[in-house]
Amino acid sequence: MSPALGKTKSIQQEEHYQKAIKAFGGANYEEALSQFRLAINDREERYGKLSIQVANVYSNIGIILKQVGRENEAIDNYSQAEKIYIQLGQEALPNLATLYINLGFLYIQNGDFNTALTYLENSKNIFERIGMANSPAYQTLLLNLTTAYTRLKRYNDAFKVTEDLKKMNNSVYSLLSYYESVGFINLNNGNYADALRILLTAYEYGVSKIGNDFFHKENILTNIGLSYLNLGQYDKALLYFNKSLGFTKRKFGDKNGVSSVILNNIGVVYIRMSAKASDLSKFLVEKRAMLLKSLDYFQQALIAISPDFDEKDWAENPNTQNSFSNSQMLEILKHKADALRQLAEVETNSGDQEAAMKYLKNSLSTYEQAIQSIHLLRNGYLNQDSKLALAENEQSTYFETVDVATKLYEKTGERHYLEQAFQVSERGKSATFLSALRDLKAQKFGGIPDSLRNQEETLKSEIAAYKAFIFNENNKNKPDSAKLGRWQSKVYELEQNYSDLIHLFEQNYPNYYNLKYSDDVVTVKKLQNYLKNRDALIEYAVNEPEKGKPGELITFFVTSQKCEVKRQVLNDGYNKDINTFLGFLRNPDVLNTNRESYSAYARSAYSLYKLLVQPFASELQGYRLIFIPDNKLAYLPFDGMISSMPDTTHMDFRKLHYLIKDFPISYSYSATLLYQYFKSDATAPHNLIAFAPDYSKGASVDINAIRDGVRENLSPLPGAKEEVKGITKLISGDVFDNSRATESNFKKDAGNYDILHLAMHTVLNDSLPMYSKLVFSPESDSLNDGWLNTYEVYNMKLKARLAVLSACNTGSGKLRKGEGVVSLARGFLYAGCPSIVMTLWNVEDVSSAKLMIDFYKYLLKGYSKDEALRKAKLDHLANADPLKAHPYYWLGYVLVGDQTPLFSTKVPYFIGLVIILLFVVIGERFWVERRRKRRMKR
């Protein structure tokens, strides 16, 4: 081949790439995608499949796909580029670092800040390792890092990054980025005046040093507007938002995510602006006008973010699956729904009920669209912390939707609104936990081979182990940075492998995909069919009062025959009652209980009863109660509420009319979990296994017990040994006590038993609940350290129908709004146990032993689990002296999940035997009487 011909072919091979670049510059994204795909073939032929040039094309395709809202496809192409860069090694590291910036930015825009941070921190490590910490790409990285840290509320880390920006070559762009970032952090941290001052400096600096079209001008203008908005200076906020909007439209056109953000902000301004009229009629007119104006802007924001949506009628909403950003779509829909809800209130106060109903219905449909967006976001997150943060941030969205639906039910009496309200309440309960259980179910029934499922389990275990290494190293006085670096790199590698495997599941096993991403929750009808004749389920949705603003409680009451809902206003007394109630019950200083504290407990216990149970008291006689709590209610043992106010001039805990005296009580994190997941099809070959470790000085635990960095002394538990001895006298089983009560033995044998009983110490970690742990006896096994962490329980497969966690605080943990209390007990439910007996505080050793032995005694008689626990508590009360009758000694144990009996009662057999004997006696008498009559005839 001649040189001339070779050159011609080379030019032809880059023709598609050049056309793609030109199309991209002209915002012709589909043409750019088409040409880039052709360019892949060209470059593979010229440079080979394993080349930087080919990987760069995949990266560019990812950038365009992200621009047009096709995020999953963008990630696929980024992943293709990443694999090539990694295989090429050292020469491709700058490209890999840049790719990680793009991926980090993608996850920031999608609200998955934890995943974004993983990519960005990896990018930073690469840039610093290859000596490119002064490049323009590195500056972009630092800007994105600031955003990720700020969104995660890690403000100190964010400020540290800004110092790196400030030091970069003293360039105009780095200093501008520094001002922008510091302003952004202050804005998100609530320091609005400081944010405004710094952002105005950034704007003036950009104009004077670079010119009118300077870098990130639209972002700085928008953040100035947000600062004014939060300072209540609405006219100035509108001025800067409109400046930013004009600049953005000239730069990007009408359809783009940035314009959508600005239009949404303008809508928020009109929602917040106060009416100036003095009389009610003028106030309502002005309020209506502002709300209608806000709706116009929210609708424009939806149009800007949705490629195929141009409907200006705010009664319409776009398809939530088709937008440039799911997280931004969610924000707009929430604001729009809120504006419609407020409009309904205005029309109600104006006397126009027809208009009020129209706005309320539109508000409900818009909130439902918002909840679909939440579901899409959750399914897109691999990071568990991101899912938990989403649940926490959006808990109010679920409540507002329930609120609107119940209002419509009250106004119309139409049952479908009541059912809709209940289902939304369910979607907002423990959604992250439910999502994880759906994934387990999807793997089991989605046709995935055992080999791949085992691979997934191995990866999860490895990730958990390396995260534990990092956690423990960081808790040392002088962490080893070299070790931390290696382990963090390993975690990243394993998480990438895990992500690839899950992607393989989704692509190749459609049944898995459909099961995992369904958003089904139990309906009222299905729940009623599930509930037994005398079951009453009471579910709460709470909007807690704060800063003098009243809250609201919505309560659903469901039996096999009926479903009702009640709405109540919550005042400041609600939080006070909860704090008094819990503070008294958790206080181990029982000896110093006085009449004043006794009286305060009684008042709070009665007040909570009146609020939470009494509205349905007339319908509860003879029922068992199943409570589905919400927010702080998840900490409460409802057993300890009292249904009548006692004479508090003298103390007698035995005479208080506790709720447990009238009802068996159990709990669940949601009705859906109770209906769909708290059942066990597995059959264990052995009956009961019990563990009672040794904490004596001769067998002291060498490893530090850590609770948020504080050492704890583990005292001996003599009652634990008595407890397991008494239980195994009743029910045959295997006891692992003293040196045999090891983590290794538990992991090896627990999966083969029907009942698990753990009488031991617990060490809580409130800041990182997955590192709360059960403390076994020490052992020499290098694989197990004697601490069974919550994350390790999640990775187990158990067949037990009941796990009794007779240890302190096994049901305690960090409350995550929208998710509930993240406790050790959850790990056992996830691992396959359909019912758990757990503790809500530091239970007393000796009293606990007797209570648990009585619990098993009643289980063996055939009582349901909730009734057996109730009878054990009542026995304690009946036999306790005045001191041991204190609720601290007996109230801390609660049942979560399935309540059905473990053993068949012998009563039917006795009845059957009596009936048989009666028949024998009657038959014998009949036969004797017949013989007598025959003789008489003779």
Side-chain angles (χ1 to χ4, degrees):
M1 180 182 294
S2 69
L5 287 173
K7 186 177 181 181
T8 302
K9 186 167 184 182
S10 172
I11 293 169
Q12 288 173 342
Q13 283 177 324
E14 287 297 296
E15 184 180 348
H16 295 303
Y17 187 83
Q18 296 303 326
K19 284 182 177 178
I21 294 294
K22 185 177 179 182
F24 180 59
N28 188 349
Y29 299 125
E30 290 304 317
E31 176 64 15
L33 284 172
S34 175
Q35 292 298 327
F36 271 135
R37 289 186 179 118
L38 291 171
I40 288 175
N41 295 328
D42 294 343
R43 288 196 164 189
E44 284 181 346
E45 183 181 340
R46 182 177 182 189
Y47 302 107
K49 289 186 177 181
L50 196 64
S51 65
I52 287 177
Q53 290 82 356
V54 170
N56 288 346
V57 180
Y58 279 118
S59 182
N60 286 334
I61 291 172
I63 291 169
I64 296 173
L65 288 166
K66 175 63 191 80
Q67 286 276 96
V68 298
R70 290 154 65 178
E71 291 174 359
N72 290 334
E73 291 176 69
I75 291 170
D76 288 344
N77 281 272
Y78 283 144
S79 296
Q80 289 279 7
E82 180 190 23
K83 287 172 185 173
I84 296 171
Y85 291 144
I86 288 171
Q87 288 181 69
L88 289 170
Q90 190 72 24
E91 65 172 307
L93 284 178
N95 304 73
L96 184 63
T98 303
L99 178 74
Y100 286 159
I101 297 172
N102 291 334
L103 274 163
F105 182 63
L106 185 152
Y107 284 107
I108 283 172
Q109 288 195 306
N110 213 22
D112 189 355
F113 302 112
N114 287 286
T115 302
L117 197 57
T118 301
Y119 283 107
L120 295 172
E121 287 179 337
N122 268 282
S123 176
K124 189 172 188 286
N125 290 336
I126 293 170
F127 274 126
E128 289 172 354
R129 197 164 74 240
I130 62 178
M132 290 184 62
N134 279 314
S135 64
Y138 188 74
Q139 179 181 315
T140 303
L141 163 69
L142 295 179
L143 266 172
N144 286 326
L145 259 178
T146 302
T147 303
Y149 282 132
T150 302
R151 293 299 191 190
L152 290 168
K153 298 181 180 178
R154 291 171 57 177
Y155 301 118
N156 289 336
D157 289 324
F159 277 121
K160 285 178 186 174
V161 175
T162 62
E163 290 304 310
D164 291 338
L165 271 170
K166 192 176 183 181
K167 294 171 188 173
M168 280 190 67
N169 295 332
N170 290 321
S171 73
V172 170
Y173 288 101
S174 62
L175 198 54
L176 176 62
S177 297
Y178 166 77
Y179 289 135
E180 179 189 352
S181 298
V182 172
F184 177 74
I185 299 166
N186 278 290
L187 174 62
N188 283 271
N189 202 13
N191 300 322
Y192 304 123
D194 289 341
L196 181 60
R197 176 178 52 78
I198 296 163
L199 288 165
L200 286 170
T201 300
Y203 180 71
E204 291 163 8
Y205 182 82
V207 171
S208 64
K209 297 291 183 181
I210 303 171
N212 253 340
D213 294 345
F214 66 86
F215 173 70
H216 272 203
K217 176 181 175 181
E218 66 277 10
N219 290 349
I220 293 170
L221 285 168
T222 299
N223 286 335
I224 291 170
L226 283 169
S227 300
Y228 278 123
L229 171 61
N230 285 292
L231 289 167
Q233 298 182 43
Y234 301 123
D235 290 339
K236 287 185 177 178
L238 286 174
L239 173 67
Y240 279 91
F241 284 145
N242 281 310
K243 277 185 181 181
S244 181
L245 183 63
F247 180 76
T248 302
K249 286 189 173 183
R250 288 195 301 275
K251 188 175 178 181
F252 298 115
D254 290 332
K255 294 261 186 182
N256 63 82
V258 182
S259 292
S260 179
V261 168
I262 301 163
L263 288 162
N264 180 59
N265 289 335
I266 295 174
V268 172
V269 173
Y270 285 109
I271 276 191
R272 290 197 193 175
M273 286 175 77
S274 300
K276 297 175 183 178
S278 54
D279 65 90
L280 180 62
S281 60
K282 287 184 179 179
F283 169 83
L284 292 174
V285 169
E286 291 186 14
K287 187 72 173 174
R288 181 189 294 112
M290 285 188 292
L291 288 169
L292 288 170
K293 202 160 190 176
S294 75
L295 277 172
D296 286 338
Y297 279 101
F298 293 139
Q299 199 66 15
Q300 289 180 55
L302 290 172
I303 291 168
I305 206 172
S306 309
D308 303 322
F309 181 74
D310 293 293
E311 182 56 67
K312 293 180 180 179
D313 181 358
W314 44 257
E316 301 294 328
N317 289 311
N319 183 342
T320 51
Q321 296 187 355
N322 188 16
S323 74
F324 294 134
S325 168
N326 287 330
S327 57
Q328 181 59 23
M329 170 75 80
L330 171 60
E331 288 304 305
I332 302 165
L333 288 169
K334 287 192 302 184
H335 285 135
K336 178 181 172 182
D338 181 45
L340 287 162
R341 182 183 59 79
Q342 290 191 48
L343 262 174
E345 290 175 5
V346 168
E347 298 302 350
T348 298
N349 291 326
S350 300
D352 190 342
Q353 297 303 321
E354 186 178 342
M357 284 294 295
K358 180 183 74 171
Y359 290 134
L360 209 54
K361 287 177 181 178
N362 284 324
S363 176
L364 180 59
S365 64
T366 304
Y367 271 126
E368 283 280 12
Q369 289 284 92
I371 286 172
Q372 285 182 29
S373 293
I374 296 170
H375 180 63
L376 288 172
L377 285 168
R378 183 182 295 112
N379 286 337
Y381 294 171
L382 279 176
N383 187 285
Q384 195 73 0
D385 287 332
S386 293
K387 290 184 179 185
L388 288 169
L390 180 69
E392 197 159 13
N393 293 335
E394 300 307 330
Q395 189 260 347
S396 59
T397 306
Y398 286 100
F399 182 86
E400 292 296 347
T401 312
V402 172
D403 184 54
V404 171
T406 51
K407 282 176 180 172
L408 280 165
Y409 172 64
E410 289 170 354
K411 287 176 179 291
T412 65
E414 295 176 18
R415 184 179 168 85
H416 67 91
Y417 288 122
L418 171 61
E419 292 175 350
Q420 191 174 357
F422 180 78
Q423 286 188 265
V424 173
S425 174
E426 277 293 295
R427 285 193 174 93
K429 294 277 189 301
S430 298
T432 305
F433 188 54
L434 184 58
S435 173
L437 287 170
R438 280 198 188 107
D439 191 28
L440 270 185
K441 184 178 178 182
Q443 288 188 37
K444 186 176 180 181
F445 300 107
I448 295 173
D450 287 344
S451 59
L452 288 178
R453 290 176 63 190
N454 291 338
Q455 189 178 336
E456 194 252 0
E457 289 297 326
T458 301
L459 280 169
K460 281 168 64 178
S461 295
E462 277 195 87
I463 290 167
Y466 276 99
K467 284 186 174 180
F469 295 156
I470 293 167
F471 169 76
N472 291 328
E473 190 66 30
N474 277 324
N475 272 290
K476 292 180 179 178
N477 290 330
K478 293 182 179 179
D480 186 325
S481 58
K483 283 182 179 178
L484 288 171
R486 282 198 305 274
W487 292 337
Q488 284 163 350
S489 296
K490 186 63 177 177
V491 167
Y492 174 75
E493 177 192 331
L494 290 168
E495 286 184 335
Q496 288 299 103
N497 292 339
Y498 182 75
S499 176
D500 290 343
L501 184 64
I502 296 300
H503 193 53
L504 175 72
F505 289 175
E506 292 171 354
Q507 282 191 323
N508 296 350
Y509 302 95
N511 286 341
Y512 165 83
Y513 184 91
N514 292 333
L515 284 167
K516 177 179 179 177
Y517 292 122
S518 69
D519 193 25
D520 63 309
V521 291
V522 66
T523 62
V524 170
K525 186 175 181 181
K526 284 182 179 178
L527 180 61
Q528 288 181 313
N529 290 336
Y530 169 81
L531 293 172
K532 296 180 182 66
N533 190 40
R534 306 300 287 178
D535 286 350
L537 183 140
I538 304 176
E539 178 166 323
Y540 303 98
V542 181
N543 181 28
E544 293 179 346
E546 53 183 22
K547 297 176 183 177
K549 183 181 177 183
E552 187 178 6
L553 172 72
I554 298 174
T555 309
F556 296 95
F557 176 75
V558 187
T559 69
S560 60
Q561 302 298 317
K562 65 171 61 176
C563 178
E564 301 174 19
V565 65
K566 183 174 180 63
R567 297 151 52 84
Q568 298 174 80
V569 174
L570 298 178
N571 54 36
D572 290 338
Y574 169 79
N575 285 320
K576 185 180 178 183
D577 284 335
I578 288 178
N579 293 335
T580 302
F581 183 73
L582 278 177
F584 181 84
L585 294 176
R586 287 175 171 173
N587 186 3
D589 190 15
V590 175
L591 287 172
N592 288 322
T593 303
N594 54 36
R595 210 159 59 194
E596 184 182 352
S597 60
Y598 174 81
S599 179
Y601 163 70
R603 282 196 300 272
S604 64
Y606 180 52
S607 180
L608 288 168
Y609 166 80
K610 287 194 294 180
L611 177 74
L612 299 170
V613 183
Q614 192 181 55
F616 308 101
S618 62
E619 304 175 71
L620 292 178
Q621 194 62 39
Y623 277 78
R624 63 148 47 96
L625 306 185
I626 305 163
F627 290 107
I628 315 290
D630 192 31
N631 284 353
K632 290 178 186 174
L633 298 181
Y635 283 131
L636 305 186
F638 282 64
D639 320 31
M641 295 174 193
I642 57 176
S643 57
S644 60
M645 191 64 193
D647 177 5
T648 57
T649 55
H650 64 282
M651 292 191 297
D652 191 343
F653 287 105
R654 291 169 296 188
K655 292 185 178 178
L656 294 179
H657 203 96
Y658 301 104
L659 204 59
I660 195 69
K661 288 187 176 181
D662 296 324
F663 308 102
I665 292 171
S666 65
Y667 305 83
S668 179
Y669 299 122
S670 77
T672 301
L673 287 167
L674 189 68
Y675 172 77
Q676 291 184 353
Y677 294 95
F678 288 172
K679 302 171 187 176
S680 179
D681 301 324
T683 304
H686 304 297
N687 200 19
L688 177 143
I689 189 170
F691 284 78
D694 186 3
Y695 304 117
S696 65
K697 288 184 179 179
S700 62
V701 179
D702 293 327
I703 304 163
N704 294 327
I706 299 171
R707 179 182 178 180
D708 293 336
V710 179
R711 295 172 185 267
E712 294 185 354
N713 296 317
L714 301 178
S715 57
L717 297 174
K721 292 183 178 60
E722 294 303 313
E723 185 174 317
V724 297
K725 190 185 295 182
I727 291 164
T728 49
K729 279 182 181 177
L730 295 169
I731 302 171
S732 62
D734 295 318
V735 176
F736 288 77
D737 58 5
N738 299 327
S739 62
R740 295 178 66 233
T742 63
E743 181 188 2
S744 297
N745 283 335
F746 179 78
K747 287 179 175 177
K748 178 165 63 76
D749 294 324
N752 296 316
Y753 286 82
D754 189 44
I755 302 171
L756 309 177
H757 189 93
L758 306 178
M760 57 182 61
H761 275 299
T762 308
V763 177
L764 277 187
N765 189 318
D766 288 334
S767 58
L768 294 168
M770 294 304 273
Y771 293 93
S772 292
K773 54 202 76 183
L774 290 161
V775 187
F776 288 81
S777 294
E779 57 186 309
S780 58
D781 183 351
S782 60
L783 295 175
N784 296 296
D785 56 13
W787 307 100
L788 184 71
N789 290 285
T790 306
Y791 72 80
E792 294 177 280
V793 181
Y794 269 80
N795 288 328
M796 296 182 73
K797 291 182 180 177
L798 302 173
K799 297 175 184 174
R801 289 183 294 158
L802 172 66
V804 179
L805 308 182
S806 187
C808 296
N809 290 300
T810 50
S812 299
K814 185 172 184 177
L815 177 66
R816 301 293 298 254
K817 280 192 174 183
E819 192 61 30
V821 176
V822 183
S823 66
L824 260 166
R826 279 199 183 205
F828 284 85
L829 291 165
Y830 181 85
C833 296
S835 57
I836 310 290
V837 171
M838 65 186 195
T839 59
L840 297 179
W841 52 76
N842 291 321
V843 292
E844 194 267 340
D845 190 32
V846 178
S847 298
S848 297
K850 180 67 171 67
L851 186 73
M852 284 292 94
I853 291 168
D854 286 344
F855 169 62
Y856 279 96
K857 179 181 73 178
Y858 286 114
L859 280 179
L860 198 58
K861 288 181 178 180
Y863 287 102
S864 60
K865 301 182 197 87
D866 53 347
E867 182 63 28
L869 189 57
R870 171 177 178 261
K871 285 184 172 293
K873 289 178 177 180
L874 294 181
D875 280 358
H876 176 95
L877 267 179
N879 299 311
D881 58 39
L883 175 67
K884 288 297 179 79
H886 191 292
Y888 175 80
Y889 289 103
W890 58 271
L891 190 58
Y893 284 91
V894 296
L895 173 73
V896 174
D898 175 64
Q899 327 96 319
T900 55
L902 289 178
F903 303 99
S904 299
T905 176
K906 293 182 175 62
V907 172
Y909 296 110
F910 286 122
I911 292 172
L913 185 60
V914 169
I915 291 170
I916 291 168
L917 288 172
L918 280 172
F919 273 117
V920 169
V921 170
I922 291 168
E924 185 180 3
R925 286 185 177 178
F926 176 76
W927 184 76
V928 169
E929 183 67 21
R930 192 174 179 185
R931 283 188 64 186
R932 189 182 65 78
K933 286 181 179 178
R934 281 179 181 174
R935 283 175 184 168
M936 287 178 64
K937 284 180 180 179
R938 288 176 186 172

